[in-house]
Amino acid sequence: MMASLSGLYSSSPSLKPSKNLSFKALPALSRDSFSFPHTSRPTNLPLTLSSARSVARDISHADSKKELLKDPDALWKRYLDWFYQQKELGLYLDISRVGFTDEFVAEMEPRFQAAFKAMEDLEKGSIANPDEGRMVGHYWLRNSKLAPKPTLKTLIENTLDSICAFSDDIISGKIKPPSSPEGRFTQILSVGIGGSALGPQFVAEALAPDNPPLKIRFIDNTDPAGIDHQIAQLGPELASTLVIVISKSGGTPETRNGLLEVQKAFREAGLNFAKQGVAITQENSLLDNTARIEGWLARFPMYDWVGGRTSIMSAVGLLPAALQGINVREMLTGAALMDEATRTTSIKNNPAALLAMCWYWASNGVGSKDMVVLPYKDSLLLFSRYLQQLVMESLGKEFDLDGNTVNQGLTVYGNKGSTDQHAYIQQLRDGVHNFFATFIEVLRDRPPGHDWELEPGVTCGDYLFGMLQGTRSALYANGRESISVTIEEVTPRSVGALIALYERAVGLYASIVNINAYHQPGVEAGKKAAAEVLALQKRVLSVLNEATCKDPVEPLTLEEIADRCHAPEEIEMIYKIIAHMSANDRVLIAEGNCGSPRSIKVYLGECNVDDLYA
Ligand SMILES: O=P(O)(O)OC[C@H]1O[C@](O)(CO)[C@@H](O)[C@@H]1O
């Protein structure tokens, strides 16, 4: 069997996981109908005669699976057999409730060895992101000795030193806001999106002390009302707000808009933005040039060899964290220790490989099941949102590295326990079986000395513990697989380790399914389409302006606007543009109303003669 299957795990294009070969081929033998744990092979594999036989054999194993489920000794043995711990970090991994078989592990071995080799090359500076021709160096950020060139090593070390020195100076009040009665910075307003927001948001929620030296707020969208809300919440403290604008590319529209809105607020408050602005971006980007020309307070670098979603250990994550009094060197140490632990080429001793293997097993190597992430700790609330980008932007790819269409991915969602038990766990337990769970457990409930028993022998934290364990058991009893990651405490070190664990798992998984984890071509399509909508809006405005400047004014139907824009095929979009502008008092609807598109006739509130000749 091994010999006949080994080729199926090679990277040969014809043997790639294929969604066409899913359960549909043999519905009666769906592994979902089996009780747990499974012994069937992943159904993404081509259905050869031998695989069909192996599925048939799995039916006969179904009873023994039931026995395993009922047999606490066997389950305990499986727990111990696969239990992983990283002692120094106090991090444990339990994958006993995922039903992979020894045979499956053996079959995955060659793929993992290839993935370990690819990871080794990546860490040595290979062009691991071939589509963008870039190195992938986030691992160097926490161990600069790994950097492939001495200049990079120096750059990483100097940047870290300057982040620490700058934040010390801000916190101590050595660097002051020019016109604040407080005499020191009290607030951070972070402007950025995607990888330039999610990491800082997660770290702030997880690690910021109750009374940080600077409190942080985020603008991570181009929603005007959301931006207004953040600025309004700052109120007079805008004068003591350090604005950190984060964009690797330096040209992301949402971030640019956030910056322009904040600069307007500064102008209106009579404040000098430049003296309170900090940029984190690549050298010579639009943002970098703006910050340099306008003389902003400080600039910190981003590098083309660090991706947005893995930038949390660069200035992107470290500067906001340091300013909130979080020990960033500890975060880096945690990540470095985890990097070391996930470098081993023994699957069983490598927690990231174990995760990647379970993901492959649970989702059939094609993302057929979603990953629900449930941290049982309020401060880790944003971990699932952070992982959503890390995993889905990395693994959600149309093509594999050989150019075959694979439509890979792994859906991630989640919030926190036990809160979610009162929201969607009902469906997870009893409803559609389209997921596997990851529990994040934190052993320490409260800082020492603060606990008390709210009923004899039981604390509030015991309830949280009970809810987690109860949900895990209830899911398992209904054949739902789960992974449990345990940390002792939420500290900079353990958070650094968690981040590094998942970064590595994503990298290994991507290798195993033969995709590039480090680019995001799909995002470009949406950005391009958005730019086209805005370009069309400008054409609509120009056509309306021309009609408005006529004497008498010529109200236009949607058809007439579309024709004059030479875009009859865009009539629906033109209607939406008109409806949006109308809702924002930007155009006059002369006749009809926006609710009935055919009735609309439009002209502008006033003719702008200058635009006619622009
Ligand atoms: O840091 P930037 O260049 O502004 O990009 C923000 C985010 O946008 C993306 O490129 C996707 O649009 C992410 O990968 C990135 O984290």
Side-chain angles (χ1 to χ4, degrees), residues 193-196 247-249 252 308-309 389 393 520 523 527:
I193 195 167
S196 293
S247 175
K248 175 184 170 180
S249 62
T252 301
R309 55 190 170 274
Q389 188 205 19
E393 204 166 64
Q520 52 284 328
V523 183
K527 283 188 193 167

Side-chain angles (χ1 to χ4, degrees), residues 1-7:
M1 168 118 180
M2 277 299 298
S4 71
L5 290 177
S6 59

Side-chain angles (χ1 to χ4, degrees), residues 131-144:
D131 305 68
E132 294 176 353
R134 287 175 177 164
M135 299 188 291
V136 174
H138 50 274
Y139 298 108
W140 313 332
L141 297 171
R142 48 262 194 162
N143 183 353
S144 57

